[in-house]
Each structure stands twice: as C-alpha cells, then as structure tokens.
Amino acid sequence: MKRLIGTLAIVMLLTLSAGRAMAAPDVYDESQSHPLRIAAYLVYPFAYAVEWVVFRPFHFLVSSYPDVFGHHPHGVDKIET
C-alpha cells in the first residue's frame, strides 16, 4: 500500500511539474506594482473558488427552472414558446 501511494505521489509530481517547466515568467513592469493589482493577486484564488462552489451551481439551479426564476438564456433576443 505504501508503494502504491509513493508511486502515485511521484506520478502526480511529475505530471504537475511538466507544464511548469515550459512556462516562463512575464516581464515585470511598473503597472504590476499598483496596490490594487497586488490585492487582486491575493483575492483571485478565493474568488475563483467561490465562482465554482457557489455561483456556477446557483446558475445551474436557476437555469434548470426558467419558469420559476424567470431566467432567460444569454444571447437570445426572443424566447420561443
């Protein structure tokens, strides 16, 4: 069992690190030192998680019952009945 866990850990490490080896950091410029940009870097992971955990399931629920919630699909001008 320990061997299986160790093997899976190594495979995950190699898989996840393969894409990072090809990535290169951006060139730094002064616009990235703005205090709001730094705050955005810190807030972004939490906002991304909230989008997937709260808002997307809520949208699925609302769009599943359009007669109850009055939801209309995006990009549709006229609703066909």
Side-chain angles (χ1 to χ4, degrees), residues 3-80:
R3 180 175 282 173
L4 175 65
I5 293 172
T7 303
L8 289 175
I10 290 172
V11 168
M12 281 182 51
L13 178 67
L14 293 174
T15 303
L16 295 174
S17 66
R20 299 299 276 160
M22 295 179 189
D26 290 342
V27 177
Y28 179 80
D29 62 10
E30 291 300 317
S31 68
Q32 296 172 350
S33 65
H34 192 280
L36 292 179
R37 178 77 264 165
I38 294 170
Y41 288 145
L42 299 174
V43 171
Y44 180 81
F46 301 106
Y48 187 83
V50 168
E51 176 188 1
W52 280 90
V53 173
V54 176
F55 294 116
R56 286 181 182 248
F58 182 73
H59 179 265
F60 176 76
L61 174 71
V62 169
S63 63
S64 296
Y65 302 100
D67 295 334
V68 175
F69 294 105
H71 174 75
H72 303 292
H74 302 284
V76 176
D77 294 332
K78 183 177 178 184
I79 299 174
E80 298 176 13

